[in-house]
Amino acid sequence: QVQLQQSGAELVKPGTSVKLSCKASGYTFTSNHMNWIKQTTGQGLEWIGIINPGSGGTSYNVKFKGKATLTVDKSSSTAFMQLSSLTPEDSAVYYCAVATWDYWGQGVMVTVSS
Amino acid sequence: DVVLTQTPPTLSATIGQSVSISCRSSQSLLHSNGNTYLNWLLQRPGQPPQLLIYLVSRLESGVPNRFSGSGSGTDFTLKISGVEAEDLGVYYCVQSTHAPWTFGGGTKLELK
């Protein structure tokens, strides 16, 4: 069955970067684009961007340009999102989800704190 | 950006009651290819969202048929015909017609 397995929770310091992973299984990785979504109590669900695993092509929400960088490793069927220059406002749960919204990772909590 | 306004923000229901949630868009969600990319998600506590309805009214595989979606253009509705305990959680509409994709603010369904 289709699964998106995300990496574990992160506690990181302000000003640093973190790279989150989302390993896909149960389907052809390059057949479906991958979304990344941010969830906070205050802002709800926000779409960060999308990547085409086949070509590596990306599209970002302007709000997250410069903050998030999406990449893939086709050999391991894994999508990555790097978040840079972290501030407490980046503390959230981050999800990967296929473009058709029918499969989601379990989410990863990122906490930015000194 | 497209703004999706969901009402009501909270919904109290008894088991067996039928309820509806509205999702109103700030612009038409009809894509130039003829599809309307409006979906409904349910997020149970501590879980990621799950897809219930896609393309306005198509029931996702494995989702009970007490869930139904309708609407067009800018006005969309999710109906639950006979709430069951497992339906409790937060419902979101999400559009992927116009970039950036956007989500509604959510409707929390709780037991009365």
Side-chain angles (χ1 to χ4, degrees), chain B residues 25-82:
Chain B
S25 175
S26 61
Q27 57 184 278
S28 174
L29 299 183
L30 177 63
H31 194 278
S32 56
N33 66 9
N35 288 328
T36 298
Y37 295 97
L38 187 284
N39 310 304
W40 290 95
L41 310 171
L42 164 61
Q43 186 172 31
R44 298 186 176 96
Q47 297 294 315
Q50 69 169 100
L51 181 66
L52 299 175
I53 301 284
Y54 62 100
L55 294 174
V56 179
S57 60
R58 301 188 186 182
L59 194 66
E60 172 66 2
S61 176
V63 174
N65 60 12
R66 61 180 178 272
F67 291 94
S68 62
S70 63
S72 64
T74 60
D75 288 317
F76 304 92
T77 301
L78 175 71
K79 183 177 181 179
I80 311 172
S81 300

Side-chain angles (χ1 to χ4, degrees), chain B residues 4-27:
Chain B
L4 297 181
T5 303
Q6 281 185 240
T7 55
T10 306
L11 198 47
S12 294
T14 56
I15 300 300
Q17 182 180 352
S18 292
V19 298
S20 292
I21 299 169
S22 169
C23 176
R24 187 159 291 177
S25 175
S26 61
Q27 57 184 278

Side-chain angles (χ1 to χ4, degrees), chain A residues 10-16 86-91 110-114:
Chain A
E10 300 272 2
L11 173 59
V12 293
K13 294 189 184 308
T16 64
L86 291 164
T87 72
E89 287 66 43
D90 296 315
S91 297
V110 174
T111 304
V112 183
S113 174
S114 54

Side-chain angles (χ1 to χ4, degrees), chain A residues 1-4 22 25-27 32-35 37 95-106, chain B residues 48-51 60-61:
Chain A
Q1 72 281 23
V2 173
Q3 284 192 326
L4 300 178
C22 171
S25 60
Y27 74 101
N32 209 335
H33 293 37
M34 188 76 76
N35 289 303
I37 299 101
Y95 294 101
C96 57
V98 297
T100 44
W101 304 108
D102 46 350
Y103 295 102
W104 290 66
Q106 80 275 24
Chain B
Q50 69 169 100
L51 181 66
E60 172 66 2
S61 176

Side-chain angles (χ1 to χ4, degrees), chain A residues 9-86:
Chain A
E10 300 272 2
L11 173 59
V12 293
K13 294 189 184 308
T16 64
S17 298
V18 67
K19 192 171 186 177
L20 311 180
S21 66
C22 171
K23 183 173 176 57
S25 60
Y27 74 101
T28 302
F29 181 59
T30 53
S31 69
N32 209 335
H33 293 37
M34 188 76 76
N35 289 303
W36 287 86
I37 299 101
K38 177 183 182 181
Q39 185 170 34
T40 59
T41 304
Q43 297 296 317
L45 292 162
E46 296 179 277
W47 179 74
I48 297 170
I50 192 168
I51 186 164
N52 178 342
S55 66
T58 55
S59 178
Y60 293 92
N61 185 336
V62 168
K63 179 178 179 180
F64 293 95
K65 273 192 173 179
K67 171 62 65 178
T69 303
L70 306 183
T71 56
V72 296
D73 176 10
K74 286 190 283 188
S75 68
S76 63
S77 298
T78 303
F80 299 94
M81 177 172 69
Q82 178 159 322
L83 299 169
S84 61
S85 303
L86 291 164

